[in-house]
Amino acid sequence: MLRRERATPPRSAQPYGQGAAYGARAGEGAGTGYDDGAPQPTVTELYHAHRLRMVRLAVLLVDDLATAEDVVQDAFTALYRRHGERISEVDNALGYLRTAVVNTSRSVLRRRRTARAWTPPAAAEVPSAEDHVVLDEAHREVLAALARLTPRRRQVLVLRYWAELSEAEIATTLGISRGAVKSNASRALDALERILEGRI
């Protein structure tokens, strides 16, 4: 159904092909749905217009490009299997995909922690050129500091300041209250500041 593509950025600021028109209509940011009367996009259109942004979101949550690509591919595949190519039954397909990416990333991190508890740490892999293409937009020191936060605090910060979601959207995506979003964001920012200043 969906051909796996490599996570290289498009040649222009707009997404590629037919996805460009859709991307301009639905927006690359944190849009919550679609205009009344506008036709729902197909899964393929969503894939071409928003896959790269979803991969970047997943990279910030799971730390490596290959895993992030798998997470996003799984999210799109699950959407297709459940609703088919035309997703008229999903009111907010982008929100659905974003939640799927966050939840799958969370599962990846749980499995990773379990595996690390039973196996010695492997030698660090040298980042590929493609890794640098995707990650150059985010400061590596900030990424390293993010990795030291608890998963929940990291998710809140990434969704708030990178994906630019509102508190209500974050609460919906993570299945927590708006109060929990606020408290986690505040504590995460404090912890991030201490880490970057070398105090912890």
Side-chain angles (χ1 to χ4, degrees), residues 5 8-29 44-54 56 94:
E5 302 173 5
T8 53
R11 296 182 180 178
S12 66
Q14 295 292 331
Y16 8 83
Q18 294 179 352
Y22 170 70
R25 182 170 73 247
E28 284 288 323
T44 300
E45 287 172 338
L46 275 174
Y47 185 79
H48 286 293
H50 296 284
R51 173 187 166 277
L52 182 59
R53 185 174 182 82
M54 292 292 177
R56 285 171 171 164
L94 284 180

Side-chain angles (χ1 to χ4, degrees), residues 78-158:
L79 179 64
Y80 178 83
R81 287 176 176 170
R82 185 167 183 176
H83 298 284
E85 175 68 1
R86 298 204 171 271
I87 46 179
S88 57
E89 296 181 7
V90 181
D91 292 333
N92 179 10
L94 284 180
Y96 178 99
L97 285 168
R98 191 163 49 230
T99 299
V101 167
V102 171
N103 288 341
T104 305
S105 297
R106 191 181 302 166
S107 297
V108 166
L109 293 176
R110 282 198 298 266
R111 291 195 299 269
R112 186 181 292 172
R113 286 195 298 270
T114 300
R116 286 174 178 172
W118 291 95
T119 58
E125 295 183 2
V126 177
S128 67
E130 189 169 83
D131 288 334
H132 285 288
V133 168
V134 174
L135 296 177
D136 276 349
E137 68 185 48
H139 197 288
R140 292 187 178 277
E141 288 184 5
V142 174
L143 286 177
L146 277 173
R148 296 178 60 184
L149 300 178
T150 64
R152 175 68 78 210
R153 293 178 184 178
R154 182 177 184 177
Q155 290 157 10
V156 169
L157 283 193
V158 169

